[in-house]
Amino acid sequence: TAEILKANLQLQQEILRHQQTEDALRQSQQELSDFVENAIVGLHWVAADGTIIWANQAELDLLGYTREEYIGHSITEFHANQAAIGEILERLLSNQPVQEYETDLRCKDGSVRRVLIDSNSSWHNGEFVRTRCFTRDITDRKRAEEALRQSEQKFRAIFDGTFQFIGLLTPEGILTEANRPALDAIAVNLKDVVGQPFWTTPWWTHSPAL
């Protein structure tokens, strides 16, 4: 009887340990699923035929689609540049990773978002399983870069268009910029004088070059 009670106690303890392990595993899976599903970066999986088989909420929010409108559809439907998605899929099917691939995705409202794609592929026994894709929206950054470029072009046009000689110096007197009339007056290119102390340039009236 004692041996039976002991064996029964050991069995109950083993069952409890097994239940605790299952609970811990289940909690870990739930936490991982929550982390992936609610990540701030768009994530999706694509099958070998190009069909989207899963996407997290950030991916859907980025493009404005519901799960039914996105998952189960071909990834090519959402790329504004078909040559780009063709190249991406070709690389992944050849087991080549894709890193910071800049391309355009088409949103549900008709707008286009500029994104960076990072992706690699999952294989099992030499067979392609799916891609793992990360989508980062850089639309606002690209717009800011373009606005800055246009602003710099306008500044350069005004800077070079004035008849007065204009130069920019650091507090130490190092030349960082000069406009076109000033450069033409001494027949030099900017690279010939930029970075030099102003008093060593031909503009300086006490320069030995004069």
Side-chain angles (χ1 to χ4, degrees), residues 19-153:
Q19 289 177 337
Q20 291 173 338
T21 300
E22 285 188 339
D23 291 342
L25 179 60
R26 187 179 301 108
Q27 181 178 355
S28 177
Q29 290 175 335
Q30 290 174 346
E31 291 174 351
L32 179 60
S33 177
D34 176 75
F35 175 79
V36 172
E37 183 61 36
N38 297 296
I40 61 174
V41 177
L43 306 171
H44 64 274
W45 295 344
V46 177
D49 63 357
T51 301
I52 302 168
I53 55 179
W54 174 83
N56 72 346
Q57 191 59 47
E59 179 93 0
L60 299 172
D61 291 342
L62 170 63
L63 302 178
Y65 296 98
T66 65
R67 293 187 183 280
E68 293 73 22
E69 293 169 333
Y70 196 64
I71 298 173
H73 292 259
S74 173
I75 189 65
T76 60
E77 296 179 28
F78 308 98
H79 275 258
N81 187 334
Q82 292 301 302
I85 184 56
E87 181 180 357
I88 291 173
L89 291 175
E90 183 178 356
R91 287 191 196 180
L92 294 172
L93 289 171
S94 301
N95 203 17
Q96 299 177 38
V98 173
Q99 295 180 320
E100 296 192 340
Y101 193 106
E102 193 170 321
T103 189
D104 296 313
L105 294 182
R106 188 176 292 108
C107 301
K108 183 178 179 179
D109 63 6
S111 63
V112 172
R113 306 295 294 182
R114 193 71 171 173
V115 299
L116 288 179
I117 299 291
D118 292 277
S119 185
N120 59 18
S121 49
S122 174
W123 296 74
H124 181 70
N125 294 330
E127 295 291 329
F128 180 92
V129 178
R130 61 175 177 263
T131 69
R132 311 179 189 94
C133 300
F134 297 77
T135 308
R136 288 180 287 159
D137 185 11
I138 59 170
T139 306
D140 293 340
R141 190 186 83 187
K142 298 299 289 187
R143 288 174 178 168
E145 290 175 353
E146 178 60 21
L148 178 60
R149 186 187 66 81
Q150 293 181 4
S151 177
E152 290 175 343
Q153 287 180 340

